[in-house]
Amino acid sequence: MSIEEKKRLKRNDRVTIRTVATHAGVSVAAVSKVMRNAYGVSEALRARVTDAIEVLGYRPSRAARGLRGRSFTIGVLLIDIRNPFLPEVIAGVNGVLAPSHYQAMIGVSDARVQLETSLIESMIDYKMDGLILVAPSLPSDIIAKFAAQIPIVAVGYHDAGATAFDTVNADDQRGAELAVEALLACGYRDIEMLSLGEREGHQVSVVRQREIGFRRAIQRAGLGSSAPITKIPIAPPKREETMRKFLSRKNRPRAVFCWSDLDAITLLSLAMEMGVRVPEDLAVVGYDNSSTAALGLVNLASIDQSGRELGQVATRTLISRIEGRTGAEHIFQMPSLVSRNSLTRSGKAPVA
């Protein structure tokens, strides 16, 4: 950088796209093309502009870019940050965005409609190009209204009839069936499900879908027409109190399928505390195959829905919507069972 350029920068600390263009000896339009990764940009031009950006420490104004068109920012809305499954989804999103010009901005809600709505409105106000909603609690018609303003992909939201936005899901019904089938293959016939309370059981939620799959698998196995499901309150301490009561029951089942690793891991901890042996007294299968489930001290058998892949697919789907696709897509991925000691001490997959 020349002495004259340094003097100019001292007078005006704000480095603009014009500053970059001047330093690189090219037009503003040329810098814009490089930044947009436009077709037909030569490697020589790209190198000059990239070098200028690095030397000057240029950071484009997101607000200004939003006013001109795209802001190259994607909003990711999470409902429950405590769930150990979510980091894998975020890793998948970032993995797709890393080589692109897009960046992710994460917002965290707590399943309250008012807060969730407010966060989505803020992301729209900040001129984000699209939104990925992970397990949103909003009704489909509300999401559709937002989708009229901004491209949206919902993950963990089973609404195959939606036309205004896309969905990306694991086949949660099939995942629950896999859990029951694994327990049956190990010889268990007394099987119950731990699910979330009614507030989380609306038809489009993963919780509700897993309940449907559980009931179907139990009935198909000839174990009765009413599959036993214990509902867990969403908030502590009642959440843990309900699990303790479950473990203390005289008629406690020999095997349990938990709607999520989030509760399955807590159940394992409480079982150890209360002297309930796993799997000798109680076999446990979770859902999500979170990194915590694989820890040696946890060793939780779990249904793997590949959170990283869900994040990747959702991001690619959103980008294609941003780039002009109009028809809704509803993508399903097949889950699989990862067998560990909470199902069988051998740690090997059960033989059907």
Side-chain angles (χ1 to χ4, degrees), residues 123-153:
M123 289 176 172
I124 293 174
D125 290 344
Y126 276 106
K127 304 296 183 182
M128 294 188 180
D129 294 325
L131 302 180
I132 296 174
L133 310 181
V134 183
S137 59
L138 292 174
S140 184
D141 59 332
I142 300 298
I143 296 178
K145 289 180 180 178
F146 284 126
Q149 305 174 59
I150 187 171
I152 290 178
V153 174

Side-chain angles (χ1 to χ4, degrees), residues 62 140 156 179 295 330:
R62 295 271 169 193
S140 184
L295 294 175
H330 301 289

